[in-house]
Amino acid sequence: MDLIKNKEKIIRIIFFIFGLILLSFGISLIIKSEFGTSAWDAVSVGLFKHFNLSVGIWMNIVAVILVISSGIMLKKMPRLTTLITSIVLGGCLDFWLFSIRKITVDSTVLSIILFLMGVVIMAFGVATYLVSKLPPNPLDYFMVCVHEKFNISIAKARTICEGIGFILGILLSGPIGIGTIIILIMVGPTIQFFLKYTNKIYKYTEEKFLREKEIDV
């Protein structure tokens, strides 16, 4: 029984790490495209413009606020472990940004291609690590809490979260652009679409892994 539980944990960790790698890669492509940042990135940049703290510090502060707000929303202790996920995601993002630093975006077409690739990969990454049931990053944790609190789909919950960030980004004079609006519209439904498949892949992997364990025994 303990061996089975350990194998289940391994499967969850694999999906979790792979999802974060994909998510961070998608974000790096969006940033590289210079077509527009996500709403919550715009919030951090906007706060940076008004106060003396760095963008990175504001990202962490916003993450803490989202986690605390999520706990209040569901009237239970917030999952502080999501902050660890945020740190890991930040490390992966720095790696990808360093890896693609030499890519030159010298045309609008290339910018759009990188942006759209980034959105799709980012959404697939979120859908992949969410099925692991391990701590999501603060924004996705907030999204899941909205989903549970109001009993709405992940797509609608994500759109609401991005909408809140969009409004705050405008109020804080953040870098809101065409890309921000596209992310606001596309990310929620795209995550919802991929979740159907990542759930099936996860269940298939888990069943096959455990079936092999039974044969071994």
Side-chain angles (χ1 to χ4, degrees), residues 35-47:
F35 198 65
T37 63
S38 69
W40 287 99
D41 287 338
V43 171
S44 297
V45 174
L47 287 167

Side-chain angles (χ1 to χ4, degrees), residues 12-212:
R12 290 182 184 279
I13 291 173
I14 291 174
F15 273 75
F16 179 73
I17 294 176
F18 185 58
L20 287 181
I21 291 174
L22 288 175
L23 170 58
S24 58
F25 182 51
I27 294 174
S28 69
L29 291 179
I30 291 173
I31 293 174
K32 189 67 177 180
S33 74
E34 298 181 350
F35 198 65
T37 63
S38 69
W40 287 99
D41 287 338
V43 171
S44 297
V45 174
L47 287 167
F48 163 71
K49 289 180 178 180
H50 291 285
F51 304 96
N52 294 324
L53 299 178
S54 70
V55 174
I57 291 176
W58 277 116
M59 284 183 175
N60 288 325
I61 292 175
V62 170
V64 171
I65 293 173
L66 287 174
V67 170
I68 294 175
S69 299
S70 299
I72 294 174
M73 188 186 310
L74 296 183
K75 298 180 180 179
K76 61 182 182 181
M77 183 67 182
R79 297 179 67 181
L80 299 178
T81 49
T82 58
L83 297 176
I84 298 176
T85 303
S86 183
I87 294 173
V88 173
L89 180 62
C92 291
L93 179 59
D94 287 340
F95 168 78
W96 285 120
L97 287 174
F98 178 78
S99 299
I100 65 174
R101 69 189 186 284
K102 293 184 179 181
I103 296 178
T104 301
V105 182
D106 53 6
S107 70
T108 302
V109 173
L110 179 58
S111 177
I112 293 174
I113 291 174
L114 284 177
F115 175 80
L116 293 177
M117 285 178 58
V119 171
V120 172
I121 293 173
M122 178 178 68
F124 185 69
V126 173
T128 299
Y129 87 76
L130 280 180
V131 298
S132 73
K133 305 299 181 183
L134 292 177
N137 70 47
L139 177 57
D140 292 319
Y141 172 52
F142 185 66
M143 172 190 69
V144 171
C145 288
V146 170
H147 158 68
E148 293 179 0
K149 174 67 176 180
F150 300 103
N151 192 29
I152 57 177
S153 68
I154 287 292
K156 290 180 179 179
R158 184 64 181 219
T159 301
I160 289 173
C161 293
E162 291 294 334
I164 293 173
F166 183 77
I167 294 172
L168 291 175
I170 292 177
L171 294 176
L172 292 168
S173 302
I176 299 294
I178 296 176
T180 309
I181 298 174
I182 294 175
I183 291 174
L184 172 64
I185 297 172
M186 281 187 60
V187 173
T190 308
I191 293 174
Q192 184 75 45
F193 172 79
F194 283 131
L195 269 173
K196 295 183 295 184
Y197 298 97
T198 54
N199 268 308
K200 290 180 180 179
I201 295 172
Y202 178 82
K203 290 179 180 179
Y204 172 79
T205 304
E206 188 176 46
E207 289 174 0
K208 184 177 180 180
F209 212 34
L210 296 181
R211 193 182 305 122
E212 288 178 355

